[in-house]
Amino acid sequence: MYSLKFTTESSSNGVVEREFTLGDDVPGVLWSPASGADRAPLVLMGHGGGNHKKHPAMSGRAGRLVAGCGYHVAVLDAPGHGDRPRTAHDEAEIAELFRARAAGEPEGPIVVRYNDHLAQLAVPEYRALLDALQELPEIGSDGPVGYWGINMGTAIGIPFVAAEPRVTAAVFGQHWPDVLAEKAKQITIPVEFDLQWDDEHISREEGLALFDAFASKEKSLHVNSGLHKELPRFEADSAVRFFARHLGAAVTARA
Amino acid sequence: MYSLKFTTESSSNGVVEREFTLGDDVPGVLWSPASGADRAPLVLMGHGGGNHKKHPAMSGRAGRLVAGCGYHVAVLDAPGHGDRPRTAHDEAEIAELFRARAAGEPEGPIVVRYNDHLAQLAVPEYRALLDALQELPEIGSDGPVGYWGINMGTAIGIPFVAAEPRVTAAVFGQHWPDVLAEKAKQITIPVEFDLQWDDEHISREEGLALFDAFASKEKSLHVNSGLHKELPRFEADSAVRFFARHLGAAVTARA
């Protein structure tokens, strides 16, 4: 059982941001509405490779969910990322990725292998995070829970969601099927999945194969023209609407 | 030069509906905002096979665009559809389609061939419709124009948009690439395209091939699980947002 200790608290534009430590050494952040947070739905997010819990992609998505839907949103630094130390294994894998990139070799095999390693460490952390957050009175143990992660956030999120029956809707995208398709076959909740039609790292066939693998009766694929890093900003708005459809309104918004 | 004569006018919930005849014998309908219609963007729609200009899918989409965006929306009965007479050729093709359906044979080859025939008749009608609508003072000749049609509305819309430089954004979906891919290669405007992942008539490969054919720098594909007729209602909301992004606000909404 990991405990959750809040370390900082600040507030801006109706969003309360609290940093915390999960257990001894996993840093995270929880964003909540400044008012009306009681028993609101929760969305857990996973950040991309090389990024961290407070990268603008994370704080921007959190702002949309908190201000737009009245939800709570939490994210952890992944192992070897953000404020967490890198192991010798992390350093070696990152060096190998940079070497392949400089040599013009495919990045996929390295990213797939390294992200799988990180996911094996991160999945129990996310499950412990959910346990701890559901003990907070403003979240509680009976509210809807979503998961949102693209790139490495998908590599961690697919095995997490496959193992975690409390998550009832998820947004994923932009990863390879090699390791993840088998886990995706265990997922039956509604899924929205993003891929880039001109992705220079993940082929169309690979992206479509991962989408196809989800056993969800209700799943949507959003493909946009453009390179790997050109996922349009409006897909974040679409993801927020997806969660609003599936997790429902915050209780206070219903009243 | 076709003239446009209004034949009926009614109003409901802030939407003015005017039926008209284009030229001698092409029936259509124009929906407009009851107030603030001046120089508002225009969306032309094409209905699905076997349907007509005032099918609920048409009036429902029009309601979203008029009430939500302040746009004008117009649709024609396709040749052989709605209030238009069927030729012997129409009757023969429809009989052949029903025969194939009853026999469990693929419908695609018949639909592709028959819709191509109808598109050759309908494209000049839609171009004449646009000419006539742009002469109305509340629309004018310098405003943004969109096109929205799924199924047969795509079979008519792709050759129409390929030939019509006044259209600057289009929503298509759910058709075969056989005839249309060559025309789609001439289209460079932003496109949103819908397909159903479990379509019993159009294979995934066929649907993806038609999306791939558009030369548009900016294009989005929305895939949903489900059969041919199960396109989710929320894709209509997505199309409305797509037009709002690309055609802009009605002038009065800007002021």
Side-chain angles (χ1 to χ4, degrees), chain A residues 98-186:
Chain A
F98 286 178
R99 187 204 58 73
R101 188 175 294 169
E105 296 173 11
E107 299 180 13
I110 303 160
V111 175
V112 165
R113 167 184 88 202
Y114 181 46
N115 283 5
D116 180 41
H117 166 75
L118 296 178
Q120 291 180 37
L121 301 173
V123 166
E125 295 171 355
Y126 269 88
R127 301 197 72 181
L129 171 66
L130 182 51
D131 290 343
L133 290 173
Q134 289 193 324
E135 301 221 338
L136 298 177
E138 65 268 38
I139 294 179
S141 60
D142 54 357
V145 180
Y147 179 88
W148 185 357
I150 310 293
N151 297 310
M152 192 178 78
T154 282
I156 291 171
I158 287 180
F160 168 62
V161 170
E164 183 48 79
R166 289 174 288 184
V167 177
T168 56
V171 176
F172 298 120
Q174 298 198 276
H175 220 284
W176 293 261
D178 308 60
V179 168
L180 297 175
E182 280 307 307
K183 295 285 183 186
K185 287 179 188 170
Q186 302 168 28

Side-chain angles (χ1 to χ4, degrees), chain A residues 197-198 204 208 211-212 216-226 232 234-235 238 241 245-246, chain B residues 197-198 204 208 211-212 216-226 232 234-235 238 241 245-246:
Chain A
W197 201 234
D198 311 296
R204 292 173 185 177
L208 292 169
F211 170 70
D212 193 40
S216 311
K217 184 167 177 293
E218 192 172 347
K219 58 183 179 179
S220 301
L221 169 70
H222 286 190
V223 179
N224 288 283
S225 49
F234 56 72
E235 289 299 350
S238 177
R241 285 188 298 269
R245 281 203 305 276
H246 292 291
Chain B
W197 201 233
D198 311 296
R204 293 172 185 176
L208 292 168
F211 170 71
D212 193 40
S216 311
K217 184 167 177 294
E218 191 172 347
K219 59 181 179 179
S220 300
L221 169 70
H222 286 190
V223 179
N224 288 283
S225 50
F234 57 71
E235 289 300 350
S238 177
R241 285 188 297 269
R245 281 203 304 277
H246 292 290

Side-chain angles (χ1 to χ4, degrees), chain A residues 33-121:
Chain A
S35 65
D38 277 11
R39 305 308 226 193
L42 168 68
V43 174
L44 303 178
M45 300 197 303
H47 64 75
N51 290 330
H52 59 85
K53 64 184 179 303
K54 289 177 69 174
H55 183 274
M58 295 293 101
S59 55
R61 290 172 199 175
R64 284 172 158 87
L65 288 166
V66 175
C69 303
Y71 292 176
H72 299 275
V73 180
V75 56
L76 297 176
D77 275 336
H81 285 71
D83 295 326
R84 302 180 70 172
R86 286 184 182 170
T87 64
H89 181 73
D90 292 324
E91 298 287 4
E93 289 290 64
I94 293 162
E96 175 62 6
L97 177 63
F98 286 178
R99 187 204 58 73
R101 188 175 294 169
E105 296 173 11
E107 299 180 13
I110 303 160
V111 175
V112 165
R113 167 184 88 202
Y114 181 46
N115 283 5
D116 180 41
H117 166 75
L118 296 178
Q120 291 180 37
L121 301 173

Side-chain angles (χ1 to χ4, degrees), chain B residues 117-172:
Chain B
H117 166 75
L118 296 178
Q120 291 180 38
L121 301 173
V123 167
E125 295 170 355
Y126 269 89
R127 299 196 73 180
L129 172 66
L130 183 50
D131 290 343
L133 290 172
Q134 288 193 324
E135 300 220 340
L136 297 177
E138 65 268 38
I139 294 179
S141 60
D142 55 357
V145 180
Y147 179 88
W148 184 359
I150 310 293
N151 296 310
M152 192 178 77
T154 282
I156 291 172
I158 287 179
F160 167 63
V161 171
E164 184 47 79
R166 289 174 289 183
V167 177
T168 56
V171 175
F172 298 121

